[in-house]
Structure formats: C-alpha cells, structure tokens
Amino acid sequence: MNEQRIGYIARLGAAMAASNYPVTMVRQMIGRSSSVYGLDATFIALPNHVQVVGPAAESGSVVKAAHISGDLRFDQNFPLARLISETLRGRVDPVEGEARLERIQAAPAPYPSWVTVLGYGVWSAGLALVLEPTAMNVLAATVLGFMVGLFWVAGQRISGLAYLVPAISAFAVTAICILGARHLELDHVGLRALIPPLAMFLPGAAITLAIIELTSRDVISGSSRLIAGFVQIVQLAFGIVIAAQVFGLDESQLSPEAINKIGPWAPWLGVVVYALGVMLFMAPPRSFVPWLVLICYIAFAAQFLGDLVLGSYASGFCGGLALSVAALVLSRRRDSPPAITMILPGFWLLVPGSMGLIGVTEIFGADGDDALPATLISMISVAFGLQAGLVLWRAVRRRPAP
C-alpha cells in the first residue's frame, strides 16, 4: 500500500511540475500529502523530475521517480488543481488518483486545431490594441497571429520542430513587417507591431518561476529556469536580427514610439479581445470567462496606473503585485478557479505591455547592446511584483487576529 501511495505522490508532483507550478509548491504538496497518507517520506523535486523515497522497511526503502516529458496544456490545469486539492484533504485513494492522472494527461484538446489558430490571431489582435492601437497594426497583428498560430500547431505535431518555432516565427514576423512597410511606402516600421504575434514566446512564466524559486532557496531549479528563459529570449532576438540583416533594415526606419489612432478606449477594449483569444487558444472551461476578464482588467489597470505614477519599469511590478493579490483573494471564493489559472493569463498580458514600454523596442536601435538586459529587467519587474504579492498574502494570512 505504501508503494502505491509513494508512486501516486511522485506522479502528482511530476504533473504539477509539467503544469508550471513552482518547485516550492511541488515540495509543499509532497510533504503535506505524505503526512495525509501517514508516510515519513523524503523527496527530490526538480522542474522535470520528482523522486519520493518512502520509509525504510524490512524489504528496503521504496523509491519512486516520475518524469513528464512535455508540459501539460492550460485546460488540463483545472482538473489537475481539483485533484491536488482533494489529495491534500485526504479524499483521494492512490489507485483512484493514478487513474484520474492518466485521464487528465490523455485528455484530447477541447478544440480542433483551426480554433487554436483562430484564438491566437484574436489574442494577438487584443495585444495590438493594448500596445499600439492603429487599424493597420491590429490587422497586421491578427494576420501574423494566425501565421504564428499555425507554426505553433505544427510544432506540437512534428517532433523537434517546437524548439525552432520561436526563432522561425520571429524571423517570419519581422520579415513580413519589413516587406509590408516597404510595399506600402511607409517611412518606418513600428517596433511595437512585432510584439503581439510573438507574445506567447516571451519566457515570462519561466522567469517568474525562477524568481520565486531563487528567493525560496531552490537554487538549482531557479537557475535552470532562468537560463532556459534567457535562451528563449536569445531565440527571439536571433530571428528578429537575422531578418533585419537579410532585408537590409536601417535603424532610422524603425520607430519605438507608441501611436494611438483609434482612441483612448482602445487598450481597454483590447483587454477583452485578449481574453477572448485566451479562451479560444488555451481552451479553459467556459465558466472561466468572467474570472479571466476580471483578473485581466485588474492587472492591466494596475500596470497602467503604475506607469503613470512611477514609470515604465515600476509598471510591471505594480501589475504583478495586483495580479497575484487579486488572484489569491478571488481564489478564496468557493466557486472560483485555482489562483494559478488566473495568474498565468494575466501575466501573459502584463509582460508584452512591459516589453512594449522598454524592452523589445530597443533591439535594433543605437542602444541595441542594452536590449537583452532591458528585456530581462522588464520581465523580472513583473516577476518581482508577483512574488511581492505572494509574500504580502502570506503575511496577512499569518497575522494574528486582534
């Protein structure tokens, strides 16, 4: 019986790691679940590997290791979060838990591929309304979003291609923007037009997890995630710079300035459009819609006000702080989704906004040598805001009542 329990805990921890839970939370789950099942277990938890060792017996210690090769989809987070919650309350038999994990991992995508591609085009259009709302940019972001969505779907189906998709997408988006600007005889290419179609490749989640893990002294996990995030930024930069060199783009033809030709209401509309894109692209349950819209507006409003009051770098921190606190507060409601499912979409809205203010727009300019540090700082700003929100939440919950 102990062997089944230990194996189930190890597999559940691996599933959490595959769903981008911080290693800190995986370790907490293993410790609490071991107590629930009456086990005195030791364990190792890494981003792609979990090992649980049960108490020594006459036949020796029981050692179970689990590894999930790929990330779970966003829609799989919802049944997984319910399973984690029930396990921590001692309501799940290990055999039943194993079966439920199998069903979660084997569940097909809720929507066909063409809906996924459509969803990413809508996602990209929403971010274009947030970053630089002009009719041309929104149209370009939508079409390029469809293209990148096709690349992403192909990468999920063809082994090995997924690792090349960020660089290929960055090259194709940049090349089309350059050629389109020349065909239309525009005197510049708006750098903000490059961000929405490439937003899904920004390693914001990896860097946030790295910050959380490093501040929790999970140095191995945090360092590995930080390096992985940096490599993904380099992939994007490589594709963009190669396209600029191939097509002979001159830095004088680039403009980082924000332009709004639609109206001051356009970015606020963009938040709703982005949320619709998330629902189609990531396929969460339909009941998630009101929570998604609410959390996105809270995060965007905090970032907007932070930029007005404190400046661009602090805007990401303010948005991340509001996002994490709001998600944790809302998750206390009985009918609400798990906090992590609300944080991730809000985070993907914040990072491109912060990047649009200070990061990617410098990649081609005279200060190009500062582009990667500025890009990292913009994402780390959001990550620190999320971490500050988590610390604040824990401090408030632990404060004794008067």
Side-chain angles (χ1 to χ4, degrees):
M1 188 61 178
N2 280 352
E3 184 173 354
Q4 288 180 333
R5 291 170 176 171
I6 293 168
Y8 169 59
I9 292 172
R11 285 201 61 192
L12 185 59
M16 290 178 68
S19 296
N20 286 322
Y21 280 80
V23 164
T24 307
M25 293 183 66
V26 176
R27 291 169 60 239
Q28 290 172 352
M29 184 281 297
I30 296 174
R32 290 176 59 187
S33 298
S34 298
S35 297
V36 166
Y37 289 129
L39 300 172
D40 182 17
T42 57
F43 48 85
I44 297 172
L46 297 172
N48 61 351
H49 180 82
V50 173
Q51 180 174 295
V52 182
V53 181
E58 292 182 0
S59 58
S61 299
V62 177
V63 180
K64 293 292 184 179
H67 171 79
I68 296 179
S69 56
D71 290 344
L72 295 183
R73 299 187 310 271
F74 183 72
D75 62 278
Q76 292 170 310
N77 275 337
F78 293 84
L80 177 63
R82 287 193 294 270
L83 180 58
I84 294 167
S85 178
E86 292 174 20
T87 300
L88 294 176
R89 290 180 171 87
R91 299 175 182 172
V92 179
D93 177 77
V95 176
E96 176 198 352
E98 289 267 7
R100 288 175 64 177
L101 269 178
E102 290 284 354
R103 289 195 295 271
I104 291 170
Q105 293 172 22
Y111 300 145
S113 296
W114 68 267
V115 176
T116 302
V117 173
L118 173 66
Y120 193 68
V122 176
W123 169 322
S124 182
L127 289 180
L129 284 168
V130 170
L131 292 177
E132 188 167 358
T134 69
M136 183 176 296
N137 275 350
V138 173
L139 177 61
T142 305
V143 174
L144 293 174
F146 292 150
M147 179 189 71
V148 173
L150 283 171
F151 290 163
W152 186 86
V153 168
Q156 301 305 300
R157 295 185 174 185
I158 302 174
S159 177
L161 181 61
Y163 300 103
L164 301 175
V165 168
I168 293 171
S169 299
F171 177 87
V173 167
T174 306
I176 292 172
C177 285
I178 294 171
L179 295 175
R182 288 178 179 171
H183 179 73
L184 296 173
E185 298 182 348
L186 301 178
D187 58 358
H188 72 280
V189 175
L191 294 180
R192 289 166 183 259
L194 303 179
I195 300 175
L198 301 175
M200 79 160 113
F201 303 119
L202 298 175
I207 289 178
T208 298
L209 293 173
I211 296 297
I212 293 172
E213 290 168 351
L214 287 171
T215 55
S216 302
R217 297 190 177 183
D218 287 310
V219 178
I220 296 175
S221 300
S223 300
S224 62
R225 289 192 199 272
L226 197 60
I227 292 170
F230 181 78
V231 169
Q232 193 153 333
I233 294 174
V234 171
Q235 284 183 295
L236 289 174
F238 177 80
I240 294 171
V241 172
I242 291 299
Q245 290 181 346
V246 168
F247 294 96
L249 189 67
D250 188 277
E251 68 180 53
S252 64
Q253 298 174 282
L254 294 155
S255 171
E257 297 299 322
I259 302 172
N260 186 341
K261 293 184 178 180
I262 296 180
W265 48 267
W268 301 93
L269 173 63
V271 175
V272 177
V273 177
Y274 164 79
L276 175 60
V278 168
M279 292 299 300
L280 294 174
F281 179 67
M282 304 182 72
R286 293 180 184 177
S287 60
F288 187 58
V289 172
W291 302 102
L292 174 62
V293 172
L294 176 60
I295 203 71
C296 285
Y297 268 117
I298 289 172
F300 179 72
Q303 185 178 47
F304 179 80
L305 293 174
D307 182 43
L308 290 179
V309 177
L310 300 175
S312 57
Y313 282 99
S315 68
F317 178 87
C318 295
L321 175 64
L323 171 62
S324 59
V325 172
L328 290 166
V329 170
L330 292 173
S331 67
R332 303 293 292 177
R333 291 179 57 92
R334 187 181 297 268
D335 57 342
S336 71
I340 194 167
T341 61
M342 291 187 278
I343 287 175
L344 288 175
F347 189 82
W348 288 320
L349 174 65
L350 288 177
V351 169
S354 182
M355 296 277 287
L357 293 170
I358 55 179
V360 167
T361 56
E362 298 174 358
I363 238 170
F364 300 104
D367 296 328
D369 292 340
D370 297 328
L372 290 181
T375 301
L376 280 171
I377 290 171
S378 67
M379 286 187 283
I380 288 173
S381 173
V382 180
F384 272 130
L386 281 169
Q387 177 70 350
L390 292 173
V391 171
L392 179 62
W393 174 254
R394 290 170 186 162
V396 170
R397 291 193 65 192
R398 290 174 182 172
R399 187 178 61 184

